Amino acid sequence: QRRVMGKTEPLGTMMWYLYRRMKRKHTAVQEDLRKVAVLTHLWKQMRQNHEELENIHKDMMPVLLERETKTVDEMTDTQRYKLVEECLQTQVTDMFECLNQVAKDRPAVQLVSVKPSSVEPDPPEHDAISLARPKKVKQEVTSKYVSLWEDPAVLAEVQKKMGFSLKVMPSTIKHPEAGDGLFLEGFAVPGAVLCLFPGAVYASKYLLENKYLREELNRSEHCMTRRTSGHISADTPVPFPFDGVSILDPYARTLNKPQRDFVHGSLVNPFALGHKVNHPPKGTTPNVLRIDFNFPSTFPKALQQFIPNGDYLPFDKKFWSFRPSVLMRSSVMIATRPIYQGEELLLGYRFNASHPESHPSWYTSVDPAHDALVAGISPSTLTGPKTFWKRVAHWFDRRIRI
């Protein structure tokens, strides 16, 4: 017997529910892999037929997706994974090469000195001597990080080469907590990589053993969990230029090399704005899909300066599985349909379906059945009337968590 969630359960019962939960999670991964494979294969085909790129319309999507779905259904999971990995690496490499051509050996981020002028406050009125003296202007030298991509002319050149660029503006979602949103400037085809999620990457096992980091991550306003491993916090600065060295504790950053600066990931790369994508309101479908992406160890050295992520610990520590082929873990978002000029990017957040009481008031699940599989619970417990047996099944599903 084993004690689970403070209750005593037979080992056979516990293993049975663990098996069911793992099977549901695996089914969700297979569905996502199939969906991404269809989109990336569609992007690959349209890249070979350039005449279809601008003529594609929303009404043509069902026919194109049906054609690509038949092709992908004939593939094995290994072939699908290889297809997705090759297409994503090709797109990310092309994107970074475009940024490198536009930068022209200019650093993406520079530390600029600023000298603001501040006038001393007026002296008391009763001090006649002080009133007679001229006011002194106090010069204070400060510095700030300036990104190359803040220049509109540079962004226009990026859009000309890539076919699209991104812009942060007030969201079109009518909700007081919507804040800013991410909008597309130009045109993007289905399956195209649109943005990356910036920030520091934390190992899941390390977070479980470090209460301080869990509290810091919970306070983060822009945080996401990778499907495979790790959590990314966009609010944590990353080292620049990228050198593969881990991010130490904020209070121990003075131990790093003096020439390394810590900046927000969005300053390094103009497409590292995934943390600005909002969840679609009720009745609206998302137009982007998030997928984990690993920068390979063979990634060109000249392009690594545009990587907007950094490991909180080196990946070869006990908290990371040792994978020499991975240079950096990240996450990208791809278009699920043609996206046109001025459209806001929307992503289904997929909050934990096993804890609906923790969801904010503005959140509505886009696909409740799939979200239930991702959480490892039965979709039937979330739909239809709450019969006695559905309540019992849901109670058992929440007893054992992975």
Side-chain angles (χ1 to χ4, degrees):
Q1 292 184 342
R2 295 291 186 271
R3 293 189 62 84
V4 181
M5 301 290 293
K7 303 289 184 178
T8 303
E9 291 288 349
L11 180 59
T13 304
M14 185 186 71
M15 295 302 297
W16 169 248
Y17 281 103
L18 288 176
Y19 166 75
R20 290 182 59 190
R21 183 176 287 269
M22 291 298 297
K23 186 176 181 180
R24 291 165 186 158
K25 286 177 175 286
H26 180 66
T27 302
V29 172
Q30 286 183 319
E31 291 181 0
D32 283 343
L33 178 61
R34 178 175 175 269
K35 187 183 301 183
V36 175
V38 170
L39 293 172
T40 52
H41 194 267
L42 178 59
W43 171 86
K44 186 177 180 180
Q45 295 299 319
M46 288 192 298
R47 189 186 186 189
Q48 298 174 357
N49 304 322
H50 298 282
E51 66 276 2
E52 294 186 15
L53 296 182
E54 296 297 338
N55 298 329
I56 189 172
H57 192 267
K58 295 180 181 179
D59 298 336
M60 300 171 56
M61 281 301 300
V63 178
L64 295 176
L65 290 178
E66 183 180 0
R67 182 189 66 184
E68 302 304 326
T69 301
K70 293 180 179 179
T71 304
V72 172
D73 286 342
E74 298 176 356
M75 301 180 181
T76 62
D77 287 346
T78 303
Q79 293 174 334
R80 294 174 184 176
Y81 179 80
K82 186 177 180 180
L83 169 66
V84 171
E85 188 178 26
E86 290 179 354
C87 290
L88 293 183
Q89 289 185 5
T90 299
Q91 292 192 62
V92 173
T93 303
D94 293 344
M95 176 186 291
F96 281 34
E97 286 180 351
C98 170
L99 298 180
N100 193 34
Q101 294 175 4
V102 173
K104 299 177 181 178
D105 298 330
R106 292 175 293 180
V109 181
Q110 286 183 331
L111 188 63
V112 179
S113 300
V114 182
K115 297 181 178 180
S117 299
S118 59
V119 181
E120 290 184 352
D122 294 336
E125 296 181 359
H126 63 272
D127 192 347
I129 298 178
S130 298
L131 287 172
R133 293 176 180 173
K135 297 181 180 179
K136 296 181 180 180
V137 177
K138 185 179 180 181
Q139 299 287 342
E140 294 181 357
V141 179
T142 59
S143 58
K144 68 175 183 178
Y145 293 105
V146 178
S147 175
L148 173 66
W149 317 114
E150 295 177 358
D151 188 354
V154 176
L155 276 182
E157 189 175 354
V158 171
Q159 181 176 348
K160 183 178 179 181
K161 290 181 175 292
M162 286 290 299
F164 64 88
S165 62
L166 303 176
K167 187 176 182 181
V168 178
M169 296 188 299
S171 175
T172 57
I173 300 176
K174 297 180 180 180
H175 194 279
E177 299 182 15
D180 292 333
L182 190 62
F183 295 81
L184 187 80
E185 297 288 330
F187 172 77
V189 298
V193 174
L194 301 180
C195 57
L196 301 91
F197 199 96
V201 185
Y202 297 83
S204 302
K205 294 183 179 179
Y206 186 58
L207 291 175
L208 293 177
E209 298 184 13
N210 195 314
K211 182 179 178 181
Y212 165 75
L213 282 183
R214 290 202 307 271
E215 294 175 352
E216 289 293 322
L217 208 59
N218 289 334
R219 285 194 289 265
S220 177
E221 294 184 0
H222 306 97
C223 178
M224 57 138 290
T225 303
R226 282 167 45 98
R227 175 64 65 86
T228 52
S229 62
H231 302 258
I232 305 180
S233 174
D235 297 332
T236 305
V238 298
F240 179 83
F242 178 86
D243 56 4
V245 181
S246 65
I247 303 175
L248 300 180
D249 189 271
Y251 301 102
R253 288 179 182 170
T254 54
L255 302 178
N256 294 326
K257 301 177 182 180
Q259 65 269 22
R260 291 178 65 202
D261 297 321
F262 287 85
V263 300
H264 195 277
S266 60
L267 299 179
V268 176
N269 192 313
F271 295 101
L273 296 170
H275 60 292
K276 291 294 185 179
V277 180
N278 283 324
H279 180 79
K282 188 176 182 180
T284 308
T285 57
N287 52 17
V288 296
L289 181 66
R290 182 183 64 83
I291 183 173
D292 295 346
F293 176 76
N294 296 329
F295 288 93
S297 56
T298 57
F299 199 70
K301 185 70 175 180
L303 306 181
Q304 293 181 11
Q305 61 172 325
F306 304 113
I307 297 179
N309 302 99
D311 276 329
Y312 189 85
L313 281 178
F315 70 90
D316 57 346
K317 293 291 184 181
K318 66 175 182 178
F319 303 103
W320 284 121
S321 59
F322 184 73
R323 296 184 62 183
S325 60
V326 176
L327 175 66
M328 179 57 59
R329 292 165 172 79
S330 185
S331 182
V332 298
M333 299 181 189
I334 63 176
T336 59
R337 61 170 178 80
I339 303 180
Y340 299 91
Q341 169 71 27
E343 284 195 57
E344 182 176 2
L345 304 186
L346 300 173
L347 169 72
Y349 282 1
R350 290 184 177 177
F351 286 165
N352 194 342
S354 60
H355 298 281
E357 68 279 356
S358 63
H359 297 171
S361 59
W362 49 263
Y363 178 78
T364 302
S365 177
V366 177
D367 190 351
H370 185 77
D371 292 349
L373 292 177
V374 173
I377 62 178
S378 176
S380 61
T381 62
L382 303 178
T383 58
K386 295 295 182 180
T387 62
F388 171 76
W389 293 112
K390 283 188 176 182
R391 294 180 183 274
V392 171
H394 188 57
W395 179 78
F396 272 110
D397 282 333
R398 296 187 61 178
R399 288 283 302 281
I400 301 175
R401 306 171 188 172
I402 298 180

